[in-house]
Amino acid sequence: MDVRTIGVIGAGQMGHGIAHVLALADYDVLMTDISPSALDQAMTQIEANMGRQLRREIITRGDMEAALRRIRTTHKLADLGPCDLIIESATERESVKRAIFEDLQPHLGPGTILTSNTSSISITRLASGTDRPERFIGFHFMNPAPVMRLVELVRGIATDESTFETCRRVVERLGKTAAPAEDFPGFIVNRILMPMINEAVYTLYEGVGDVLSIDKSMRLGANHPMGPLELADFIGLDTCLAIMNVLHDGLADTKYRPCPLLVKYVEAGWLGRKTGRGFYDYRGDAPVPTR
């Protein structure tokens, strides 16, 4: 299938990042969100991020101007129906995603491929609620999408080979690398990454080290570019908790039990950078550990 138009559902950090990279790869992009202000903010952020790439000479002004012209926005989910490919990047809650696909289904073209940018939810279950499970696949970008080079392509049990190959070609056109993954909780990246973050929170919870010592140890001792608690704040503690719950529920192994301290931070609304506080407090001139 020749993909030319791509719909993006959700204009948050992941959604606008995906729209950004698609437009730079010469795809026509139609982005939607339930919040009109979110769409406006997304376009402002995309222009700012492309401007940063322009200053670093990663793209040219012509690239930027052409890409911005390729992105359109709409408040109506149904408008995405005629797209060749649709990437859902809404809130990481299965009930929300299933409702979106249910509302979208009557408006889809017969050949439209549906994908989800979910980081952990079963592709097979999401696909089973649609009329095209064979044309449904996980299309998991890493955050931030304009920078990170990997995309996990997650086959559900019914995903056919032509759907996989079509999406693999899209990933290649984006200049990224596809990592094929099977549909098990957390897929590849989060199956490995989230337990590490959760264990770092346990290390803090049990008083083995404080926030700074834990992050410093992993940066300097394991050569990680970010410490695990700093990374958790960047991802969002609510997202980390949601993925740990998926791992714990789906694999029924106590080693995936979310740390009580992670639960407590989420209950407090301290979700990381996006709320101004997480394991660090970002409200001042420099981040300060909160524990």
Side-chain angles (χ1 to χ4, degrees):
M1 180 178 176
D2 184 20
V3 174
R4 298 179 182 176
T5 59
I6 300 180
V8 176
I9 302 171
Q13 184 176 14
M14 287 306 302
H16 72 63
I18 293 168
H20 174 144
V21 297
L22 293 172
L24 282 175
D26 296 338
Y27 288 109
D28 292 323
V29 180
L30 182 59
M31 180 170 54
T32 188
D33 196 281
I34 58 173
S35 167
S37 63
L39 287 171
D40 294 337
Q41 291 169 11
M43 292 306 300
T44 299
Q45 192 62 55
I46 290 170
E47 186 168 1
N49 290 343
M50 286 186 183
R52 191 175 299 114
Q53 290 180 309
L54 175 62
R55 291 190 295 274
R56 294 177 180 174
E57 299 183 346
I58 298 171
I59 61 175
T60 67
R61 182 163 295 280
D63 294 333
M64 176 176 170
E65 292 173 350
L68 289 173
R69 286 195 299 269
R70 291 188 195 102
I71 303 173
R72 296 180 296 120
T73 63
T74 178
H75 309 314
K76 298 178 180 178
L77 182 64
D79 290 346
L80 273 63
C83 292
D84 300 321
L85 173 72
I86 295 174
I87 302 173
E88 172 274 316
S89 188
T91 302
E92 189 69 356
R93 293 211 308 271
E94 184 168 346
S95 59
V96 172
K97 294 178 184 295
R98 291 178 74 94
I100 287 171
F101 289 122
E102 183 178 348
D103 290 346
L104 185 61
Q105 185 165 299
H107 309 285
L108 295 173
T112 299
I113 293 175
L114 294 178
T115 77
S116 176
N117 183 51
T118 178
S119 54
S120 61
I121 297 169
S122 168
I123 297 303
T124 298
R125 284 203 308 270
L126 291 176
S128 70
T130 74
D131 65 345
R132 59 196 67 209
E134 71 286 350
R135 291 196 296 281
F136 195 113
I137 193 169
F139 207 113
H140 181 213
F141 287 81
M142 304 297 112
N143 186 26
V147 175
M148 303 299 282
R149 295 178 58 191
L150 186 77
V151 177
E152 285 182 313
L153 288 181
V154 187
R155 292 182 175 94
I157 196 169
T159 306
D160 65 24
E161 190 62 23
S162 63
T163 296
F164 174 82
E165 283 300 319
T166 296
C167 291
R168 185 186 60 79
R169 288 194 295 270
V170 171
V171 173
E172 288 180 352
R173 182 162 153 181
L174 299 180
K176 298 187 183 296
T177 299
E182 294 303 315
D183 185 24
F184 292 96
F187 316 136
I188 296 172
V189 172
N190 283 319
R191 175 75 174 265
I192 298 168
L193 175 63
M194 285 303 158
M196 184 199 75
I197 288 176
N198 194 52
E199 194 62 28
V201 183
Y202 267 114
T203 304
L204 178 65
Y205 177 60
E206 295 169 1
V208 180
D210 60 21
V211 169
L212 286 178
S213 63
I214 291 167
D215 277 351
K216 186 185 302 181
S217 294
M218 294 308 293
R219 285 199 308 270
L220 303 181
N223 204 29
H224 290 191
M226 297 174 72
L229 301 177
E230 180 186 7
L231 180 57
D233 276 358
F234 181 77
I235 294 169
L237 303 192
D238 54 337
T239 300
C240 294
L241 178 59
I243 296 170
M244 286 308 303
N245 282 328
V246 167
L247 290 171
H248 190 229
D249 295 344
L251 297 170
D253 192 322
T254 56
K255 72 180 180 179
Y256 299 113
R257 181 172 68 95
C259 178
L261 183 59
L262 177 60
V263 176
K264 195 62 64 180
Y265 268 70
V266 173
E267 288 175 344
W270 292 17
L271 307 182
R273 286 181 177 270
K274 62 187 175 185
T275 59
R277 278 189 293 188
F279 292 112
Y280 293 85
D281 189 326
Y282 300 93
R283 295 174 298 173
D285 294 334
V288 178
T290 55
R291 199 173 184 88

